[in-house]
C-alpha cells in the first residue's frame, strides 16, 4: 500500500470528539415497549388526555407495520423490546426555571459539546433549546422571544401551555400512519421543540436546538413542530451528538413544519451523531421523518442538512407545495466514512400552481462509506407552471466507498424539470497533483471537499456554515502524518 | 544542482525495475533534454523526481541542492523548487482553476518564507502570464483541467509553472498536444525564463521543440538507462534514424554521464 492510499484510507478516521459519557444520574424506564409504557410516559409528563389516545392509536397501528427495508441500507434487526423508551436526567425532575438552576454537570456536558449556553446568551442571536436524552433541559432567550410574540419551548411545555395549538397541528404533516418510524415516534416521543411564529413576525434571532443521547440502551424519539403564520419568518437549526458505544442506538425523530401564506421557514440540521468505529461497531441508527407543508400561497420552506454522523441515516426531508407559487428547497451535504451508510434525499410534491423546487445534494463517501441519494419530484395532474431543478453530485474519496443516486420523477403533464448529476473521484493521482503544487494531503482534501460543498454551506446561517466546514474538515482530516 | 546516482526504480509492489541504474547530473542554468522510445521510463523518472508514491526506489540516490530528495514529501520537493508539468494532468472537477492556482502559489510562497500575494498582485501576474501563453481569461473560471483540451491542459501546466517559479522545471512531453502557435508561444516564455539559477529537464519525442529551445545536453533514455548523451545533433539523428540503432549500441555503450 502506498502512502497516498494510506492517506486516503485514513481519511475520516479522526476520533469522534463528542464521544464522552456524562456521569449524570438518570431516571430511566426498564427496556421494553407496551401500552403500559405509553401510559407511564404520559403520566410522567402529565400530558393531556388527547395525547394518550393519540399515542395509543399510533402504537396499535405501529404493531401492524413492518420495519421498512426498501432503502439501500444493511443493518442488523433492531430489537424494539431491548430499548428503554424514556430517560430523563434525575436532577431534571423539578425542572429548572432558569439556566442558573441547571445541573452544572449538564452545563459542563454542553460546554464539551461546544455549546456554551451562558455565552450564547451574550452572543446575540441564537436561542437554544437543549434536549438531553429525551428531556428538554434549558431554553435560553425565552423572554426576548416572548416580547416578539414568538413561542419557542420544549414540546412538553407546549403541551401544557398551548394544548389547542398542538391539537390543531400535531400529526397534520406527518401523521402517525405515515410510516413505521413515524408511528413509533408518535407512540413514545418524550420531548422536542415547539415553535410558533405569529402573523407578520420576523423571528428576531436564529432558533436552535441541540440533541444529545447520553444514557445507554435508550432510544431518542423527539418531535419538533414549527408553525409559521401568515407573512412570518423563522430560521431554525438543530445539532446532535451522542457518546461512543459499542451497541447501536436508535434515534427516530419527527419534524413537522407548517408555513401559511407568504411565510418562510428555514430549517438547518448539523447531524453529528456517533457514527461507529472503523470496524463498523456501534453508532446511531438515525431513522427520521421530516416534512414541511407550504400551505399558503407564496410560502417557502428550505431544508439544509449537513449529515456527518450516524451509522445508518434514513432521512428524506420533504416539502408539500400546496399553496400556489410556494417554494421548496433542499440543500444537503452527506458524508459517510468508516462503515457508515446513508440513504437520504427529499420529496418535493407539487400540488399548487406555479410551485417551484430546488434540490441540491452533495454526497461524499470515504473509507467504506455508502451514500445513496433518493429523491422524488411529484407533480399533481392539475398543477400548472411547475418548475424543479435537481442537482445531485457525488464525491468518492478512495476506492472502497460507493455512491448511488435514485432520482425519481412522477409527472404526467407539462412542467419544467431539470436534472443534473456528477461524480468526482479523489484518488491518488488528484492528491499527488495537488501535492506537486505545494499543498499537503490534508490541505488538498480540505480544499477539494470545501469546493464541493460550498454551494450548500452558503445556505447555512453564517456562524453555522463555519461550524459545518470545520466539522467536515475534522471528520476528513484523518490521522494523516 | 541535481545529482542522480544509480537510480533503480520499480512500480510499487513489483520487482522488475523500470529504471535500471540511471545516472544523471544537472547543473544550474542548464537545459537537459531527455528523449527515448515509449515505455523507456521517462515519465517514471519525472514522477520519481517529484515524489510519486506509486514507485519504489530499489537502489541509488537523488541529491537536489545538497539535500537527499528521496526522504522528502512531494509538497516539500515542490517548495524546494521542483516543478513537474505532467504528461497527463489529472482533472479535479469542482475546484476552480484560479482558486487552485492561488492556493498553490501561496502555499509554496509560504513554504519558501516569501510573502503571500494579495489578490491584486496575484491577478496582475496571472494576467501577464495568460497573455504570454495566449490563453483567455475565462480559462481561470473553469474547473481544474476538467474538460480541457489536450493543448489547454499543457498550457495550464505552463501557467502554473510561471506562477510557481521553480528551480528545476521538469516538462514531461509538454509539446505533445500543442498546436504550432501554442508551441511557439510556450517556447518563447521558456526561453525568457531561462536564468542562471534555473535548470530544465525537457522530456520530448520531437526535435522540433529543441529547435525552439536550444538544449545544452540531449540524453537518450533506453530500457531504463541513459545510453547516450550528446548535443542537439543527437536529437536530429534520432529524428532521422529512429531508435533502432540504439539496440546494437546499448549492449556495449557505457551510459552517458556529464
Ligand atoms: N502505474 C503503472 N503501472 C504499471 N506499469 C507502469 C505504470 N507506470 C509505468 N508503467 C510501465 O513502466 C514502463 C515505463 O513507463 P513510462 O515511464 O511511462 O515511460 P515513458 O514515459 O518513457 O513512455 C512502461 O513499460 C509502462 O508500461
Ligand atoms: Mg511518458
Amino acid at each position: 500500500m502506498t502512502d497516498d492510499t494510506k492517506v486516503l484510507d485514513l481519511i475520516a478516521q479522526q476520533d469522534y470528539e463528542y464521544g464522552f459519557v456524562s456521569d449524570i444520574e438518570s431516571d430511566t424506564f426498564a427496556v421494553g415497549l407496551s401500552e403500559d409504557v405509553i401510559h407511564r410516559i404520559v403520566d410522567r409528563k402529565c400530558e393531556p388526555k388527547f395525547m394518550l389516545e393519540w399515542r395509543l392509536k399510533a402504537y396499535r397501528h405501529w404493531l401492524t407495520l413492518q420495519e421498512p427495508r426498501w432503502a439501500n441500507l444493511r443493518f442488523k434487526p433492531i430489537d424494539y423490546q431491548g430499548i428503554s423508551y424514556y430517560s430523563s436526567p434525575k436532577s431534571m425532575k423539578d425542572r429548572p426555571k432558569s439556566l442558573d438552576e441547571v445541573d452544572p454537570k449538564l452545563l459542563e456536558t454542553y460546554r464539551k459539546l461546544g455549546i456554551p449556553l451562558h455565552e450564547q446568551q451574550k452572543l446575540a442571536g441564537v436561542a437554544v433549546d437543549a434536549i438531553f436524552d429525551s428531556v428538554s433541559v434549558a431554553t435560553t432567550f425565552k423572554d426576548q422571544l416572548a416580547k416578539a410574540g414568538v413561542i419557542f419551548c420544549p414540546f412538553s411545555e407546549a403541551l401544557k401551555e398551548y394544548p389547542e395549538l398542538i391539537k390543531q397541528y400535531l400529526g397534520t404533516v406527518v401523521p402517525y400512519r405515515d410510516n413505521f418510524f413515524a408511528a413509533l415516534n408518535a407512540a413514545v416521543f418524550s420531548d422536542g421543540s415547539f415553535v410558533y411564529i405569529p402573523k407578520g413576525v420576523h423571528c428576531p434571532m436564529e432558533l436552535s436546538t441541540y440533541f444529545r443521547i447520553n444514557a445507554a440502551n435508550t432510544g431518542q424519539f423527539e418531535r419538533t413542530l414549527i408553525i409559521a403564520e401568515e407573512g412570518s419568518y423563522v430560521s431554525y437549526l438543530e445539532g446532535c451528538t451522542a457518546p461512543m458505544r459499542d451497541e447501536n442506538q436508535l434515534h427516530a425523530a419527527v419534524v413537522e413544519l407548517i408555513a401559511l401564506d407568504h411565510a418562510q421557514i428555514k430549517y438547518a440540521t448539523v447531524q453529528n451523531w456517533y457514527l461507529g468505529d472503523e470496524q463498523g461497531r456501534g453508532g446511531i441508527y438515525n431513522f427520521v421523518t421530516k416534512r414541511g407543508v407550504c400551505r399558503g400561497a407564496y410560502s417557502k420552506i428550505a431544508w439544509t442538512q449537513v449529515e456527518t454522523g450516524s451509522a445508518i441515516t434514513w432521512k428524506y426531508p420533504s416539502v408539500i407545495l400546496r399553496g400556489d407559487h410556494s417554494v421548496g428547497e433542499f440543500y444537503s451535504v452527506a458524508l459517510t466514512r468508516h462503515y457508515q451508510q446513508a440513504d437520504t434525499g427529499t420529496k418535493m410534491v407539487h400540488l399548487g400552481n406555479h410551485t417551484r423546487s430546488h434540490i441540491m445534494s452533495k454526497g461524499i463517501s470515504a473509507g467504506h462509506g455508502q451514500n445513496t441519494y433518493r429523491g422524488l419530484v411529484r407533480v399533481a395532474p392539475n398543477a400548472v407552471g411547475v418548475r424543479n431543478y435537481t442537482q445531485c453530485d457525488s464525491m468518492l474519496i478512495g476506492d472502497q466507498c460507493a455512491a448511488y443516486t435514485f432520482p425519481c420523477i412522477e409527472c404526467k403533464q407539462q412542467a419544467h424539470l431539470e436534472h443534473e448529476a456528477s461524480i468526482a473521484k479523489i484518488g491518488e493521482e488528484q492528491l499527488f497533483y495537488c501535492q506537486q503544487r505545494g499543498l499537503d494531503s490534508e490541505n488538498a482534501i480540505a480544499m477539494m471537499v470545501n469546493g464541493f460543498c460550498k454551494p450548500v454551506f452558503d445556505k447555512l446561517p453564517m456562524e453555522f456554515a463555519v461550524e459545518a466546514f470545520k466539522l467536515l474538515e475534522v471528520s476528513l482530516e484523518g490521522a494523516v502524518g | 544542482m541535481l545529482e542522480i546516482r544509480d537510480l533503480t526504480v520499480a512500480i510499487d509492489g513489483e520487482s522488475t525495475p523500470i529504471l535500471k541504474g540511471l545516472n544523471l547530473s544537472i547543473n544550474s542554468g542548464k537545459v537537459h533534454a531527455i528523449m527515448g522510445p515509449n515505455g523507456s521510463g521517462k515519465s517514471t523518472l519525472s514522477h520519481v523526481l517529484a515524489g510519486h508514491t506509486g514507485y519504489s526506489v530499489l537502489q541509488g540516490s537523488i541529491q537536489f541542492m545538497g539535500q537527499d530528495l528521496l526522504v522528502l514529501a512531494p509538497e516539500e520537493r515542490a517548495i524546494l523548487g521542483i516543478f513537474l508539468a505532467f504528461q497527463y494532468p489529472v482533472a479535479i472537477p469542482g475546484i476552480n482553476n484560479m482558486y487552485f492556482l492561488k492556493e498553490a502559489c501561496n502555499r509554496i510562497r509560504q513554504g519558501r518564507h516569501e510573502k503571500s500575494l494579495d489578490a491584486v498582485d496575484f491577478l496582475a501576474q496571472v494576467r501577464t502570464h495568460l497573455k504570454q501563453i495566449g490563453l483567455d481569461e475565462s480559462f481561470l473560471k473553469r474547473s481544474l483541467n476538467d474538460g480541457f483540451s489536450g493543448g489547454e491542459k499543457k498550457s495550464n501546466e505552463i501557467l502554473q509553472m510561471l506562477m510557481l517559479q521553480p528551480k528545476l522545471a521538469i516538462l514531461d512531453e509538454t509539446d505533445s498536444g500543442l498546436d504550432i502557435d501554442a508551441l511557439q508561444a510556450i517556447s518563447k516564455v521558456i526561453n525568457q525564463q531561462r536564468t542562471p539559477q534555473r535548470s530544465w529537464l525537457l522530456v520530448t519525442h520531437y526535435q522540433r521543440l529543441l529547435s525552439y529551445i536550444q538544449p545544452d545536453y540531449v540524453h537518450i533514455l533506453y530500457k531504463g538507462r541513459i545510453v547516450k548523451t550528446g548535443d542537439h545533433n543527437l536529437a536530429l539523428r534520432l529524428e532521422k534514424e529512429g531508435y533502432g540503432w540504439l539496440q546494437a549500441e546499448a549492449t556495449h555503450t557505457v551510459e552517458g554521464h556529464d
Side-chain angles (χ1 to χ4, degrees), chain A residues 59-203:
Chain A
Y59 174 66
R60 288 169 195 151
H61 181 64
W62 178 75
L63 289 175
T64 70
L65 300 175
Q66 293 286 316
E67 202 177 74
R69 286 282 171 169
W70 44 262
N72 189 20
L73 301 169
R74 253 162 311 164
F75 55 96
K76 278 182 273 155
I78 300 168
D79 176 10
Y80 294 92
Q81 296 302 337
I83 296 171
S84 162
Y85 288 86
Y86 185 82
S87 169
S88 100
K90 253 209 182 110
S91 56
M92 290 297 112
K93 258 198 173 151
D94 305 300
R95 291 193 51 112
K97 300 290 176 291
S98 78
L99 272 185
D100 304 332
E101 293 175 29
V102 172
D103 184 340
K105 271 217 184 110
L106 262 187
L107 292 180
E108 175 62 15
T109 302
Y110 290 128
R111 201 193 52 71
K112 280 197 218 161
L113 291 174
I115 331 159
L117 287 179
H118 283 290
E119 264 166 48
Q120 291 212 4
Q121 285 191 311
K122 283 177 245 149
L123 288 166
V126 182
V128 174
D129 185 17
I131 312 263
F132 196 88
D133 286 331
S134 309
V135 176
S136 188
V137 182
T139 305
T140 58
F141 277 115
K142 237 174 166 170
D143 297 344
Q144 267 163 279
L145 290 168
K147 266 191 213 118
V150 170
I151 303 170
F152 175 39
C153 67
F155 206 98
S156 50
E157 189 178 317
L159 267 172
K160 289 189 194 103
E161 308 277 332
Y162 317 99
E164 289 312 311
L165 275 176
I166 304 253
K167 214 169 167 178
Q168 188 184 344
Y169 289 106
L170 180 69
T172 59
V173 190
V174 181
Y176 65 77
R177 297 184 161 273
D178 193 79
N179 68 68
F180 181 87
F181 293 105
L184 180 63
N185 175 284
V188 303
F189 83 93
S190 32
D191 218 325
S193 291
F194 177 75
V195 176
Y196 178 83
I197 317 287
K199 194 168 163 178
V201 170
H202 185 107
C203 184

Side-chain angles (χ1 to χ4, degrees), chain A residues 133-403:
Chain A
D133 286 331
S134 309
V135 176
S136 188
V137 182
T139 305
T140 58
F141 277 115
K142 237 174 166 170
D143 297 344
Q144 267 163 279
L145 290 168
K147 266 191 213 118
V150 170
I151 303 170
F152 175 39
C153 67
F155 206 98
S156 50
E157 189 178 317
L159 267 172
K160 289 189 194 103
E161 308 277 332
Y162 317 99
E164 289 312 311
L165 275 176
I166 304 253
K167 214 169 167 178
Q168 188 184 344
Y169 289 106
L170 180 69
T172 59
V173 190
V174 181
Y176 65 77
R177 297 184 161 273
D178 193 79
N179 68 68
F180 181 87
F181 293 105
L184 180 63
N185 175 284
V188 303
F189 83 93
S190 32
D191 218 325
S193 291
F194 177 75
V195 176
Y196 178 83
I197 317 287
K199 194 168 163 178
V201 170
H202 185 107
C203 184
M205 58 190 72
E206 301 277 346
L207 303 182
S208 173
T209 303
Y210 273 85
F211 296 106
R212 175 163 176 83
I213 300 176
N214 192 55
N217 301 319
T218 52
Q220 177 146 329
F221 308 92
E222 78 275 354
R223 192 155 186 123
T224 300
L225 175 58
I226 299 180
I227 302 151
E229 291 277 12
E230 243 170 78
S232 66
Y233 168 90
V234 61
S235 168
Y236 186 92
L237 182 119
E238 61 171 15
C240 5
T241 59
M244 300 197 276
R245 296 185 189 283
D246 285 345
E247 71 275 16
N248 299 107
Q249 283 178 284
L250 178 63
H251 173 249
V254 169
V255 176
E256 298 182 279
L257 311 180
I258 296 145
L260 300 179
D261 284 4
H262 291 274
Q264 195 177 337
I265 302 175
K266 287 188 187 173
Y267 194 105
T269 304
V270 177
Q271 187 264 108
N272 190 26
W273 297 116
Y274 178 50
L275 67 150
D277 66 13
E278 307 88 291
Q279 270 81 47
R281 269 189 311 246
I284 300 293
Y285 285 174
N286 192 33
F287 292 90
V288 170
T289 308
K290 291 184 168 180
R291 190 174 307 145
V293 56
C294 283
R295 276 208 196 165
Y298 294 96
S299 55
K300 179 172 170 183
I301 289 178
W303 297 103
T304 305
Q305 59 174 21
V306 177
E307 303 278 320
T308 61
S310 296
I312 302 278
T313 297
W314 180 96
K315 178 180 173 191
Y316 317 91
S318 306
V319 185
I320 297 170
L321 297 149
R322 182 172 300 155
D324 290 345
H325 297 278
S326 59
V327 177
E329 294 173 352
F330 174 75
Y331 304 109
S332 169
V333 166
L335 166 69
T336 53
R337 52 192 178 117
H338 292 190
Y339 282 85
Q340 275 179 287
Q341 305 173 59
D343 191 307
T344 183
T346 185
K347 278 189 237 173
M348 293 290 173
V349 182
H350 293 261
L351 303 177
N353 295 329
H354 305 288
T355 48
R356 283 178 292 143
S357 60
H358 186 178
I359 297 169
M360 180 159 42
S361 158
K362 303 273 182 180
I364 304 168
S365 316
H368 292 83
Q370 303 259 334
N371 217 318
T372 301
Y373 168 80
R374 188 182 301 278
L376 172 66
V377 176
R378 177 184 291 154
V379 183
N382 52 348
V384 301
V386 167
R387 298 176 80 91
N388 163 265
Y389 177 71
T390 298
Q391 183 187 348
C392 205
D393 300 322
S394 309
M395 180 180 259
L396 300 173
I397 304 178
D399 50 15
Q400 305 290 312
C401 54

Side-chain angles (χ1 to χ4, degrees), chain A residues 429, chain B residues 9-12 14 16-19 34-47 52 54-55 87-88 172-173 203 205 221 224:
Chain A
E429 294 308 318
Chain B
V9 170
I11 301 284
D12 198 45
E14 284 176 30
T16 348
I18 299 169
L19 299 180
I34 291 205
M35 304 181 77
N38 284 329
S40 55
K42 304 181 297 296
S43 293
T44 302
L45 175 63
S46 309
H47 282 143
H52 196 294
Y55 304 90
Q87 183 179 0
Y88 303 111
D172 192 356
E173 297 200 30
V203 174
H205 273 301
L221 181 58

Side-chain angles (χ1 to χ4, degrees), chain A residues 23-86:
Chain A
D23 182 18
I24 290 172
E25 260 198 283
S26 63
D27 168 16
T28 302
F29 282 11
V31 299
L33 181 54
S34 62
E35 294 206 359
D36 178 53
V37 166
I38 293 168
H39 278 279
R40 281 163 62 209
I41 291 173
V42 170
D43 277 356
R44 204 54 70 100
K45 305 189 73 77
C46 311
E47 287 182 351
K49 188 133 182 299
F50 77 87
M51 282 303 293
L52 177 64
E53 285 160 17
W54 190 69
R55 284 175 181 281
L56 287 174
K57 269 194 264 176
Y59 174 66
R60 288 169 195 151
H61 181 64
W62 178 75
L63 289 175
T64 70
L65 300 175
Q66 293 286 316
E67 202 177 74
R69 286 282 171 169
W70 44 262
N72 189 20
L73 301 169
R74 253 162 311 164
F75 55 96
K76 278 182 273 155
I78 300 168
D79 176 10
Y80 294 92
Q81 296 302 337
I83 296 171
S84 162
Y85 288 86
Y86 185 82

Side-chain angles (χ1 to χ4, degrees), chain A residues 429-430 433 435-437, chain B residues 52 75 82 84 91 157 160:
Chain A
E429 294 308 318
Q430 273 92 354
Y433 189 90
Q435 288 177 292
Q436 209 312 295
R437 301 301 186 248
Chain B
H52 196 294
E75 64 272 19
I82 288 185
L84 169 60
E157 297 290 287
Q160 293 176 352

